Amino acid sequence: MSTPPRTPEVHSGPRPLRILQVIETGGPGGAETVFASLSQALADRGHHITCATADGTWLPGELQRRQLTRVPLHFGGAFDRGLLKRLRDLIIDLRIDIVHGHLFDGSVYAAMAAWSCGVPCIVTLHGQVDVARAGWRPWLKRTLLTRLGARVVTVSEALRQDLRESFGVAADRFVVIHNGVVSRGHLEASGTSHGAESGKKRVIAVGNIRRPKGYPILLDAIAALLERGVNVQLDIAGEPDREGLYESLLAQREALRLQDHVTFLGFVQDASNHIASADAFVLASTKEGFSLATVEAMLAGVP
């Protein structure tokens, strides 16, 4: 049985806008979560939203679940002229009023396509990892963004300061708009951890297995707590990487004899309920634009 189409709320302001949202990824993550939530909120206000995304393991299905229109994009090569043409065609054919690019590479293409069509563009950069690359190509992309983007948004003040130095432009060229989460009312414990039944204090960490998340440091910290007599269970919710970090974390867990105290849950569809069932939340990141999971923990009242 098909799901009935979404009924937008009545838009009380000026005429509804035709907005093209662009992102270069399709897997789970904070930027993708913001992308989907923002697109839905704009659609609920009566705007016409088209989401242009890469294929991936999570975002395409999530947009379909939210009944949002998606068109696939394929990113490839140092400079993908086909992708630029695809975005230009979408802007023209759909009579787009404004383009919103997310993350670094996707925003560069979004800004170029919008500028060539005479349409304003907003770009949102979600973390330092997007632009912390050396060489003439990243320099050129940073230059294009600052020249062609109507506004460059960062998700935190710290990120704005970092990017101001990376881009070499005045700080007032950036606008800070913090990430937020949608309140889900009463949250229920997920019951996925063995911590409660064994008398352990349960700690939850949420984030894909990536080097900036600092998981090796976190495993060392759990080992130190156990040495001090703290009976603790760590659950890590996040998609494993493809670069060997996940395997090295499994080896570290074995070397520290943490098999009974550290569980990798993999990707979970709704991390908020996992957070709500924990005794404490931990963020071990060495670099972070803005942690949605931390806000989720605050919303659930978890230390």
Side-chain angles (χ1 to χ4, degrees):
M1 182 175 179
S2 61
T3 305
R6 174 185 302 282
T7 302
E9 297 175 1
V10 176
H11 183 64
S12 58
R15 70 169 178 85
L17 296 173
R18 295 179 291 269
I19 303 172
L20 178 63
Q21 298 271 14
V22 181
I23 195 167
E24 67 205 54
T25 61
E32 293 82 2
T33 300
V34 171
F35 180 95
S37 297
L38 177 60
S39 297
Q40 179 180 341
L42 290 168
D44 287 345
R45 293 186 181 189
H47 298 295
H48 304 292
I49 308 300
T50 301
C51 299
T53 84
D55 294 330
T57 59
W58 180 76
L59 186 56
E62 179 65 12
L63 295 174
Q64 182 179 22
R65 184 185 71 82
R66 294 172 183 258
Q67 303 169 50
L68 293 166
T69 300
R70 173 188 174 258
V71 295
L73 292 179
H74 302 284
F75 290 78
F79 180 71
D80 192 334
R81 294 182 181 180
L83 174 59
L84 184 59
K85 181 181 184 301
R86 171 72 161 149
L87 289 173
R88 277 178 46 84
D89 290 344
L90 285 172
I91 293 169
I92 295 169
D93 294 345
L94 299 176
R95 295 180 295 144
I96 295 296
D97 296 305
I98 188 165
V99 178
H100 187 177
H102 296 255
L103 301 177
F104 187 43
D105 288 337
S107 291
V108 173
Y109 284 101
M112 287 193 295
W115 176 83
S116 69
C117 295
V119 172
C121 180
I122 295 172
V123 304
T124 297
L125 301 176
H126 293 262
Q128 295 94 332
V129 69
D130 291 342
V131 294
R133 288 175 279 181
W136 69 268
R137 286 193 180 92
W139 171 85
L140 178 59
K141 291 177 180 179
R142 290 192 291 265
T143 302
L144 286 170
L145 274 189
T146 54
R147 297 287 178 87
L148 304 180
R151 284 290 186 273
V152 177
V153 177
T154 66
V155 295
S156 66
E157 176 61 29
L159 181 59
R160 181 174 79 104
Q161 294 296 337
D162 279 357
L163 297 188
R164 180 187 66 81
E165 297 176 4
S166 298
F167 279 72
V169 298
D172 59 9
R173 293 293 304 276
F174 298 93
V175 178
V176 177
I177 301 178
H178 298 108
N179 284 340
V181 298
V182 178
S183 176
R184 297 174 176 84
H186 178 66
L187 298 176
E188 297 180 356
S190 65
T192 58
S193 171
H194 301 293
E197 60 197 49
S198 61
K200 300 175 184 175
K201 291 295 184 181
R202 182 180 179 234
V203 177
I204 182 81
V206 176
N208 293 329
I209 309 298
R210 305 291 185 268
R211 297 196 182 280
K213 295 298 181 181
Y215 288 133
I217 301 170
L218 185 53
L219 264 60
D220 286 339
I222 295 299
L225 284 174
L226 290 168
E227 288 179 1
R228 298 178 186 182
V230 180
N231 193 12
V232 61
Q233 166 71 30
L234 171 65
D235 289 340
I236 297 176
E239 186 176 64
D241 72 328
R242 299 178 182 178
E243 300 174 357
L245 177 59
Y246 177 62
E247 287 72 17
S248 70
L249 288 172
L250 293 178
Q252 181 183 1
R253 180 179 66 173
E254 184 174 356
L256 295 173
R257 298 180 181 178
L258 297 178
Q259 294 92 325
D260 294 333
H261 295 274
V262 175
T263 301
F264 292 94
L265 302 176
F267 170 71
V268 297
Q269 183 64 39
D270 189 357
S272 57
N273 287 327
H274 289 263
I275 293 171
S277 65
D279 295 298
F281 166 84
V282 60
L283 180 76
S285 296
T286 57
K287 282 284 188 179
E288 190 79 43
F290 190 103
S291 170
L292 285 175
T294 300
V295 181
E296 293 274 13
M298 295 170 67
L299 186 63
V302 175

